[in-house]
Amino acid sequence: MAFDNDSPHALPTGEDGQCPNETRRTFLKQSSLLTALALAPTAAIKAADLKLEEKVAAAFEQVKVTLDINGKKHKLSIEPRTTLLDLLREQLHLTGTKKGCDYGQCGACTVHVDGQRVNSCLTLAVMQDGKEITTIEGLAKGDNLHPMQEAFIKHDGFQCGYCTPGQIMSAVACIKEGHADSDDEIREFMSGNICRCGAYPNIVNAIKEVKNGGSRV
């Protein structure tokens, strides 16, 4: 065993010039990989034979799920850590659902899961297996806008429009949940959706019109 240089703080090395700790780490990594491969499915073994590390990891991590999104069944293979928001936007290209704060604080990513509103940025896609998901793209019926979409346009319930999909999804849920009987109640139950442009009064008016107009939401 020798020192790499004359410094009293230099790490000791073996004859091959490697630090014992580094050698031990390498050994542990190799042992872990061999153990994983011994338990791996055929797809992973084939990927390892081709020395494709990314495919080996993918073979271990992919999980199969079936989601009903806007009335259409999707059979997907996804990583367990994928959020519902990223699945919708990146894999299914349903970009109406917006990524705002990514911390569940702004409401721009609001969608409905089995009729309940959720922040899709905080929701793991694998946990939604077999559930019905509705995004802003699923509200309209062809060229016919949803009553809440029409009301937002009529009352100018948006300016830049970035928060609007989440606002509309929450507004629909707000009525379905029975929380649209007064201005104060609407404000309280829409408080999870932030509008940086400050279109709140117009949003409240849009919700009241749909609620009082008796339109089915």
Side-chain angles (χ1 to χ4, degrees):
M1 186 171 291
F3 286 93
D4 289 333
N5 53 46
D6 294 332
S7 169
H9 302 294
L11 293 174
T13 62
E15 293 181 357
D16 58 358
Q18 284 191 307
C19 171
N21 288 337
E22 184 63 31
T23 302
R24 186 158 47 249
R25 281 194 293 270
T26 301
F27 171 76
L28 290 173
K29 287 180 181 179
Q30 292 173 343
S31 298
S32 298
L33 179 58
L34 289 173
T35 301
L37 289 176
L39 300 174
T42 303
I45 295 296
K46 290 181 179 179
D49 288 340
L50 296 174
K51 298 180 180 179
L52 302 176
E53 296 179 1
E54 292 82 1
K55 290 188 178 181
V56 173
F60 281 110
E61 294 181 354
Q62 296 293 311
V63 176
K64 294 185 181 300
V65 297
T66 300
L67 304 177
D68 185 327
I69 302 175
N70 298 330
K72 182 179 179 181
K73 293 282 187 181
H74 294 267
K75 293 185 178 181
L76 306 161
S77 293
I78 61 177
E79 293 182 1
R81 61 180 176 270
T82 301
T83 64
L84 179 57
L85 174 60
D86 286 339
L87 175 67
L88 292 171
R89 290 182 58 82
E90 305 301 331
Q91 289 188 234
L92 300 179
H93 308 296
L94 295 171
T95 55
T97 304
K98 302 304 182 186
K99 178 176 284 193
C101 66
D102 217 19
Y103 288 99
Q105 297 178 352
C106 72
C109 67
T110 303
V111 299
H112 296 172
V113 176
D114 285 347
Q116 302 296 314
R117 52 177 158 173
V118 302
N119 290 324
S120 59
C121 73
L122 298 181
T123 306
L124 291 175
V126 294
M127 301 300 292
Q128 314 314 309
D129 188 27
K131 296 182 179 180
E132 294 184 4
I133 297 165
T134 304
T135 70
I136 190 67
E137 290 91 345
L139 285 187
K141 303 299 182 183
D143 293 332
N144 297 319
L145 294 179
H146 186 279
M148 190 64 73
Q149 292 172 310
E150 292 181 335
F152 264 65
I153 293 172
K154 176 181 177 181
H155 291 278
D156 197 19
F158 53 87
Q159 288 186 41
C160 76
Y162 194 85
C163 74
T164 305
Q167 295 277 4
I168 290 175
M169 298 304 291
S170 274
V172 171
C174 190
I175 293 176
K176 286 185 175 181
E177 294 164 3
H179 298 309
D181 293 328
S182 69
D183 288 13
D184 288 342
E185 189 175 33
I186 291 172
R187 293 189 187 99
E188 173 67 22
F189 286 90
M190 287 294 292
S191 61
N193 291 76
I194 295 175
C195 174
R196 297 187 184 279
C197 300
Y200 297 117
N202 299 347
I203 291 172
V204 171
N205 289 336
I207 295 172
K208 286 168 55 181
E209 176 166 305
V210 176
K211 168 66 167 55
N212 297 331
S215 297
R216 184 177 179 182
V217 294

